[in-house]
């Protein structure tokens, strides 16, 4: 499966104002017994999204009518902490989320997200607090300028490694890049064979 | 004179196939790739789709642990797994390893166990290696002075196909632990105290090096417990510089260097220390003398307090109220004496022989409280055998606990070993996230001593009351 090229997304936001949203919440472990990566969106935030009897929890933001079709999620600090499960970005993407905005992302989640075309947008605390206070506003995440455009016309830039950005914009798959380093890898192996 | 370097820098530089530039990450060579059933099926699918093979089968080792049953009749007796999708995943790993020629310690292998327990046990985990696995607790192996970190499934595919990863260099954080742990206070209490101090995001973007006299005094099992939970502080990895304790642990292990190779290896490993004068991006100091037996009261591993203490009266953590309501605790509530339902001794944090001995030392000649379910799940089949040779299994069974085959079990409940809704579980594992041990389960992270003492009383108990 190759990654879709991504240059920008414009969407209303859906806001989950919690800090430290861990990957066990994004996709609980009991849904990791799959051997494919399709269809995980159904179980996204399962324990918050569904009641004990399986019905959608009407109080949970993703179940509210205004969240339908939103593809930008706003979350509190340290988003994606915990397990290395790539099922977390797979579930978010399958649900339709293309970018997550927070002040800080856990390292492995961020790396997994970037490899799948889910953009982690790091903003300052004031911007995050504003977004949390104004759920449902329309924003644009623009990768070509590494910026987040807010409804008042203001835009803030966010940090992203040039390589990851390049790969996202051009839909380049990183495995192909690594495979192109075959000669260097072989040379390394030969140098270290004696070790 | 050459510039002084940190342990992390030294291990990193040894593995640069292509160094990092302003525009591209480094290509980093991986010395050991551990794989398990949960995070690999989609990676093997990528290889298949693209017609790729496993580049270095000799550096790849598979085991099964997350979804595997712990009941003997299901592991050895051919009884079906409780959960069909778990059986399917395990079978898929067998198929993948056979097709791609990867060594697999399968369900009935006497070398099987939790991936982070068997690497060290076999001597495959060694100082100076780069070690990865599709599992965040790969940080455990850093206890040997390896650079070890968890990766996602896409990256598992990268390593299978190229034995390399694209990585940007992390920052460094030194955690200096001075002084000495008091009796009854364990490595688990120390690492919980550290996470409580720096926070669950306190290590983000950093590789931690644990240093200082209290760390030097720890056994390898204890150093693994500390490095294991580095990820719970958000760190990319945790490391301890190798020393005589490390070498003594590894000597003679089946996959450690032997004979003249051993001498050469040790001479090299001795150079894997942070040089005098090397600087870290950040430093934190903790006094081991002040650490008490610790327990978590909330829904992430930074929400911890002394067992003899209380839930904080207030907190600036924005999820404080939600955590308390999930846990059924009130602000300022005393922890000791609060009733519990389940005790789990196991997981890659605390399932090694010394952990089982610690739990057994409390349970010997005692019974667990009525109504409490206690599960003891060794980290590997070898540990199980050693524990049985010492009669620890009898101590557990006589006390009223269940003694199981190795695996992750109730740490994350994928195999069906779960904690019921609303139940309190004192667990020696590493994560107390909502629902981690089962939907609605309330996890209290603690040491094996605290877990065993709490099982005896049926309430949260400071183990020093029973020692
Ligand atoms: S014991 Fe728990 S933390 Fe360790 S590898 Fe297994 S599931 Fe992960």
């Amino acid at each position: 499966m190759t990654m879709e090229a991504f240059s920008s997304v414009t969407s209303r936001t859906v806001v989950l104002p919690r800090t430290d949203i861990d990957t066990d919440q994004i996709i609980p472990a009991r849904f990791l017994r799959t051997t494919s990566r399709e269809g995980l969106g159904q179980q996204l935030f399962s324990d918050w999204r569904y009641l004990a009897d399986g019905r959608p929890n009407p109080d949970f933001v993703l179940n509210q009518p205004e969240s339908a079709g939103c593809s930008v999620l706003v979350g509190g600090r340290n988003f994606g902490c915990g397990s290395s499960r790539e099922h977390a970005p797979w579930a978010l993407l399958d649900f339709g989320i293309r970018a997550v905005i927070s002040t800080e992302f856990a390292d492995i989640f961020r790396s997994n997200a970037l490899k799948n075309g889910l953009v982690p947008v790091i903003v300052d605390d004031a911007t995050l607090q504003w977004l949390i206070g104004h759920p449902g506003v329309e924003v644009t995440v623009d990768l070509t300028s590494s910026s987040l455009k807010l409804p008042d016309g203001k835009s803030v830039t966010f940090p992203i490694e040039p390589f990851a950005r390049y790969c996202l914009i051009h839909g380049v798959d990183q495995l192909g890049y690594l495979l192109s380093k075959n000669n260097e890898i072989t040379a390394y192996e030969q140098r270290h064979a004696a070790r | 004179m050459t510039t002084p370097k940190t342990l992390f820098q030294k291990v990193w530089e040894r593995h640069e196939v292509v160094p990092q530039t302003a525009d591209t990450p480094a290509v980093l060579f991986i010395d050991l790739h551990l794989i398990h059933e949960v995070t690999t099926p989609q990676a093997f699918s990528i290889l298949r789709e693209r017609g790729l093979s496993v580049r270095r089968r000799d550096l790849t080792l598979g085991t099964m642990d997350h979804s595997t049953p712990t009941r003997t009749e299901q592991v050895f007796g051919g009884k079906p797994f409780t959960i069909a999708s778990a059986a399917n995943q395990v079978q898929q790993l067998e198929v993948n390893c056979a097709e791609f020629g990867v060594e697999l310690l399968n369900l009935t292998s006497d070398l099987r166990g939790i991936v982070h327990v068997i690497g060290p046990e076999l001597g495959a985990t060694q100082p100076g290696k780069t070690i990865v696995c599709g599992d965040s607790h790969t940080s455990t192996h850093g206890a040997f002075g390896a650079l070890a970190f968890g990766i996602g499934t896409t990256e598992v595919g990268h390593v299978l196909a190229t034995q390399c990863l694209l990585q940007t260099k992390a920052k460094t954080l030194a955690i200096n632990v001075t002084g000495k742990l008091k009796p009854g206070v364990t490595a688990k209490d120390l690492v919980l105290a550290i996470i409580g101090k720096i926070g669950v995001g306190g290590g983000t973007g950093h590789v931690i090096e644990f240093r200082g006299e209290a760390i030097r005094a720890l056994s390898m099992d204890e150093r693994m417990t500390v490095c294991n939970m580095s990820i719970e502080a958000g760190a990319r990895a945790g490391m301890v510089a190798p020393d005589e304790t490390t070498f003594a642990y590894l000597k003679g292990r089946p996959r450690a260097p032997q004979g003249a190779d051993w001498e050469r290896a040790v001479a090299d490993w001795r150079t894997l220390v942070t040089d005098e004068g090397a600087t870290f991006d950040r430093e934190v100091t903790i006094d081991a003398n002040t650490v008490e037996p610790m327990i978590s009261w909330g829904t992430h591993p930074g929400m911890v307090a002394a067992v003899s203490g209380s839930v904080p009266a207030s907190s600036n953590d924005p999820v404080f109220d939600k955590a308390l309501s999930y846990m059924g605790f009130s602000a300022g509530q005393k922890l000791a004496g609060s009733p519990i339902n389940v005790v789990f001794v196991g997981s890659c944090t605390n399932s090694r022989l010394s952990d089982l001995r610690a739990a057994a030392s409390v349970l010997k000649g005692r019974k667990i409280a009525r109504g409490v379910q206690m599960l003891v799940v060794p980290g590997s089949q070898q540990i199980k055998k050693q524990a049985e040779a010492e009669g620890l299994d009898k101590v557990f069974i006589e006390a009223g606990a269940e003694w199981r085959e190795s695996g992750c079990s109730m740490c994350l409940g994928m195999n069906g070993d779960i904690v019921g809704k609303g139940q309190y579980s004192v667990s020696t594992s590493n994560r107390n996230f909502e629902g981690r041990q089962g939907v609605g389960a309330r996890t209290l992270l603690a040491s094996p001593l605290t877990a065993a003492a709490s099982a005896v009383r049926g309430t949260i108990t400071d183990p020093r009351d029973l020692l």
Side-chain angles (χ1 to χ4, degrees):
Chain A
M1 202 171 95
T2 47
M3 201 168 72
E4 251 179 86
F6 179 109
S7 56
S8 83
V9 59
T10 298
S11 161
R12 279 176 300 109
T13 60
V14 47
V15 174
L16 265 179
R18 286 181 67 142
T19 55
D20 304 309
I21 293 176
D22 59 80
T23 54
D24 276 85
Q25 305 319 313
I26 300 173
I27 180 91
R30 62 185 184 281
F31 302 119
L32 309 186
R33 291 181 291 242
T34 169
T35 54
S36 98
R37 59 166 108 178
E38 318 298 334
L40 287 164
Q42 276 228 311
Q43 285 115 23
L44 178 71
F45 292 116
S46 185
D47 292 348
W48 291 345
R49 209 164 127 208
Y50 302 107
L51 299 168
D53 62 6
R55 281 180 305 130
N57 174 0
D59 295 336
F60 186 61
V61 62
L62 286 189
N63 293 329
Q64 288 159 2
E66 58 273 24
S67 299
C70 289
S71 47
V72 175
L73 179 71
V74 176
R77 168 176 47 79
N78 198 26
F79 189 92
C81 60
S83 131
S84 65
R85 59 190 71 166
E86 200 159 318
H87 311 68
W90 293 339
L92 286 161
L93 283 162
D94 190 55
F95 182 82
I97 303 293
R98 294 304 310 261
V100 182
I101 304 174
S102 180
T103 48
E104 184 186 312
F105 291 88
D107 290 324
I108 308 178
F109 174 83
R110 186 170 135 78
S111 154
N112 285 340
L114 287 170
K115 290 190 174 59
N116 288 277
L118 177 71
V119 184
V121 179
I122 302 173
V123 296
D124 59 277
D125 197 48
T127 305
L128 181 72
Q129 294 314 326
W130 188 87
L131 286 167
I132 288 176
H134 298 81
V137 296
E138 189 170 279
V139 298
T140 298
V141 174
D142 181 19
L143 259 188
T144 41
S145 59
S146 306
S147 67
L148 171 71
K149 295 197 173 60
L150 298 166
D152 57 2
K154 228 178 76 186
S155 96
V156 288
T157 57
F158 58 87
I160 181 166
E161 299 83 344
F163 181 76
R165 192 173 78 121
Y166 177 86
C167 291
L168 284 169
I169 292 176
H170 299 280
V172 173
D173 113 86
Q174 303 191 3
L175 177 54
Y177 175 83
L178 267 174
L179 287 165
S180 77
K181 300 290 174 195
N182 183 45
N183 290 344
E184 286 88 342
I185 301 171
T186 305
Y188 179 94
E189 286 174 327
Q190 284 164 354
R191 278 202 308 279
H192 291 80
R195 199 168 78 198
Chain B
M1 217 193 93
T2 52
T3 359
K5 289 178 181 156
T6 61
L7 167 60
F8 164 68
Q9 280 170 323
K10 289 181 183 181
V11 180
W12 173 275
E13 284 170 12
R14 284 180 174 204
H15 293 87
E16 284 177 321
V17 173
V18 180
Q20 185 173 332
T21 69
D23 294 327
T24 50
V27 177
L28 204 68
F29 192 80
I30 302 304
D31 295 320
L32 176 62
H33 185 196
L34 300 165
I35 64 172
H36 64 83
E37 72 277 24
V38 180
T39 54
T40 56
Q42 299 87 348
F44 281 108
S45 301
I46 295 173
L47 295 197
R48 236 176 244 121
E49 280 163 26
R50 302 176 62 147
L52 297 166
S53 54
V54 174
R55 183 180 180 104
R56 293 295 298 270
R57 289 180 270 190
D58 57 325
L59 304 181
T60 313
L61 174 64
T63 188
M64 33 183 77
D65 51 5
H66 284 66
S67 301
T68 53
T70 52
R71 292 190 185 277
T72 306
E73 62 277 16
Q74 290 175 318
V75 176
F76 294 106
K79 276 259 174 73
F81 285 25
T82 315
I83 298 167
S85 52
N88 177 49
Q89 202 168 49
V90 161
Q91 199 205 345
Q92 190 61 49
L93 182 65
E94 301 227 13
V95 169
N96 289 336
C97 287
E99 182 180 332
F100 288 89
V102 171
E103 179 183 4
L104 174 65
L105 305 174
N106 68 10
L107 193 60
T108 54
S109 164
D110 53 10
L111 300 180
R112 189 185 64 84
I114 303 175
V115 63
H116 311 307
V117 174
I118 62 162
E121 181 175 80
L122 293 169
T125 298
Q126 292 163 20
K129 279 192 177 181
T130 42
I131 302 177
V132 298
C133 173
D135 191 286
S136 60
H137 292 98
T138 310
S139 57
T140 313
H141 307 262
F144 292 79
L147 174 60
F149 51 92
I151 57 177
T153 298
T154 299
E155 290 179 314
V156 169
H158 292 179
V159 181
L160 288 173
T162 69
Q163 202 57 33
C164 290
L165 271 181
L166 293 166
Q167 285 287 305
T168 45
K169 214 168 179 175
K171 295 191 189 124
T172 52
L173 164 63
I175 297 191
N176 303 302
V177 190
T178 58
K180 195 165 171 271
L181 292 171
K182 293 179 289 200
V185 181
T186 69
K188 179 64 163 288
D189 303 305
L190 172 62
V191 72
L192 288 175
I194 290 172
I195 300 163
K197 180 171 168 131
I198 71 172
V200 284
T204 303
H206 292 75
V207 168
I208 298 175
E209 183 180 335
F210 295 98
R211 302 158 57 78
E213 56 179 319
I215 298 295
R216 289 286 137 231
L218 298 179
S219 69
M220 288 316 297
D221 283 7
E222 294 170 318
R223 291 178 191 182
M224 284 189 257
T225 300
V226 172
C227 287
N228 174 273
M229 289 194 73
S230 313
I231 180 71
E232 258 52 71
R236 286 218 200 157
M239 300 177 89
V240 174
D243 60 10
E244 296 309 320
T245 306
T246 321
F247 310 146
Y249 176 99
L250 284 173
K251 195 168 167 70
R253 299 216 172 235
R255 301 193 187 196
Q258 313 286 337
D261 286 345
W262 170 257
E263 299 305 329
R264 256 197 305 276
V266 172
D268 175 47
W269 293 343
R270 285 187 200 285
T271 66
L272 295 173
V273 290
T274 291
D275 297 327
E276 195 71 44
T279 52
F280 294 88
D281 294 299
R282 264 174 72 204
E283 294 208 38
V284 171
T285 298
I286 302 231
D287 179 3
N289 298 295
T290 63
V291 178
E292 295 283 302
M294 301 292 285
I295 194 159
S296 69
W297 50 262
T299 52
H300 68 59
M303 294 173 159
V304 289
V307 176
S308 57
S310 312
V311 174
S314 66
S315 160
N316 53 14
D317 191 321
V319 290
F320 181 66
D321 293 338
K322 282 207 170 77
L324 287 190
S325 105
Y326 181 85
M327 293 300 291
F329 284 148
S330 46
Q333 175 181 340
K334 232 179 112 37
L335 286 161
S338 185
I340 60 150
N341 312 96
V342 176
V343 171
F344 173 59
V345 174
S347 91
C348 56
T349 314
N350 285 122
S351 64
R352 287 170 285 268
L353 190 59
S354 56
D355 300 312
L356 304 184
R357 283 180 183 150
S361 73
V362 174
L363 291 178
K364 200 170 171 65
R366 294 191 169 108
K367 295 263 182 239
I368 63 174
R370 277 173 78 103
V372 170
Q373 183 200 9
M374 179 171 183
L375 215 62
V376 184
V377 183
S380 73
Q381 293 306 103
Q382 289 203 70
I383 291 171
K384 180 166 189 263
K385 212 157 91 189
Q386 290 157 1
E388 287 172 353
E390 291 182 13
L392 302 183
D393 57 325
K394 295 212 175 56
V395 175
F396 294 127
I397 292 164
E398 275 162 23
E402 294 172 55
W403 175 243
R404 298 284 187 91
E405 304 295 334
S406 69
C408 298
S409 181
M410 219 178 241
C411 174
L412 87 169
M414 272 191 76
N415 70 342
D417 294 344
I418 53 170
V419 175
K421 188 162 195 253
Q423 296 212 315
Y424 289 97
S425 158
V426 180
S427 176
T428 67
S429 55
N430 43 52
R431 287 192 174 135
N432 52 339
F433 298 144
E434 287 181 24
R436 171 78 178 183
Q437 295 191 287
V439 179
R442 293 160 163 168
T443 302
L444 306 156
L445 302 174
S447 76
L449 288 176
T450 301
S454 302
V456 169
R457 292 248 179 105
T459 58
I460 296 174
T461 300
D462 189 322
R464 294 173 300 192
D465 294 355
L466 296 183
L467 289 179

